[in-house]
């Protein structure tokens, strides 16, 4: 599962970042909002690269934007592989995406807590991160679906609908005979 989650997540996260970036560029043309260079400053501070006042590091900005989006896509892919798919899961993932940004930006001092931002700026950021989360989720879900239902989906299928009292299914053995081999290798009396 994890092997698939990594490559599928990088693909999904990259796709989500590209969709978000296209949306941001369209929004900026309509509103006249300039690029934010907080991602670049965050990456510079995380890596120890010296910042130059007045310089707008567009390449560093793109690297942080794409790199962060691609890497977080792996988490959304893990969710999809486990069976957490669809809009509910993408909404949960949007919160993770926003939280990741805020931890890095605030820990480095490159950004400020969202509750201190102008409301219009906050709304725009929330919109773009939601676009990223849902686009990433759509790709991650489609790629994971090729492997069939995830463990969580198989569990839910035991008793469809919203039901209480559906305990976990018995554990599946991945390698037959593993328990017997472990018993044979124990010392006597152990």
């Amino acid at each position: 599962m994890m092997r698939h989650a990594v490559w599928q997540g990088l693909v999904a996260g990259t796709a989500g970042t590209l969709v978000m970036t296209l949306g941001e560029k369209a929004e900026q043309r309509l509103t006249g909002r300039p690029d934010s260079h907080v991602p670049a400053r965050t990456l510079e501070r995380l890596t120890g690269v010296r910042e130059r006042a007045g310089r707008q590091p567009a390449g560093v900005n793109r690297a942080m934007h794409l790199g962060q989006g691609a890497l977080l896509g792996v988490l959304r892919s893990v969710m999809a592989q486990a069976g957490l798919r669809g809009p509910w899961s993408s909404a949960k993932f949007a919160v993770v995406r926003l939280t990741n940004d805020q931890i890095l930006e605030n820990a480095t001092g490159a950004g400020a807590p969202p509750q201190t931002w102008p409301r219009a700026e906050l709304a725009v950021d929330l919109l773009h991160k939601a676009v990223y989360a849902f686009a990433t989720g759509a790709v991650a879900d489609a790629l994971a679906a090729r492997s069939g239902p995830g463990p969580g989906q198989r569990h839910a299928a035991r008793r469809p609908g919203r039901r209480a009292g559906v305990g976990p299914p018995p554990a599946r053995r991945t390698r037959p005979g593993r328990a017997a081999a472990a018993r044979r290798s124990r010392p006597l009396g152990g």
Side-chain angles (χ1 to χ4, degrees):
M1 178 172 100
M2 289 307 292
R3 185 171 35 97
H4 291 293
V6 170
W7 78 262
Q8 290 176 2
L10 292 171
V11 168
T14 299
T17 302
L18 294 175
V19 170
M20 177 179 68
T21 302
L22 290 173
E24 285 174 334
K25 295 304 174 192
E27 172 266 320
Q28 287 176 311
R29 281 198 180 113
L30 289 171
T31 64
R33 183 178 65 83
D35 283 339
S36 167
H37 293 283
V38 171
R41 297 297 179 221
T42 301
L43 183 58
E44 288 172 334
R45 292 175 185 185
L46 286 170
T47 59
V49 171
R50 197 172 131 250
E51 298 173 41
R52 286 189 247 156
R55 185 178 136 253
Q56 301 302 330
V60 178
N61 217 39
R62 281 190 292 278
M64 180 63 166
H65 202 60
L66 188 60
Q68 187 178 18
L71 289 175
L72 280 174
V74 174
L75 176 60
R76 182 60 179 85
S77 183
V78 168
M79 292 171 68
Q81 290 290 333
L84 297 169
R85 299 177 188 163
W88 281 103
S89 295
S90 291
K92 291 179 214 177
F93 181 62
V95 174
V96 171
R97 176 65 167 98
L98 290 160
T99 302
N100 180 75
D101 272 4
Q102 291 310 304
I103 289 170
L104 295 175
E105 291 170 9
N106 282 271
T108 60
Q115 63 270 24
T116 66
W117 301 0
R119 285 198 170 111
E121 199 173 304
L122 179 59
V124 165
D125 193 55
L126 293 173
L127 172 67
H128 292 309
K129 295 309 186 313
V131 166
Y132 163 81
F134 281 84
T136 300
V139 175
D141 291 350
L143 292 171
R146 296 175 0 175
S147 300
Q153 291 168 309
R154 288 191 299 272
H155 181 176
R158 290 181 66 209
R159 290 192 59 202
R162 295 177 178 268
R163 302 198 183 270
V166 181
R172 284 179 29 191
R173 282 193 186 171
T174 55
R175 293 184 183 162
R178 191 177 209 177
R183 283 193 300 271
R184 284 192 305 268
S185 67
R186 279 193 217 133
L188 291 175

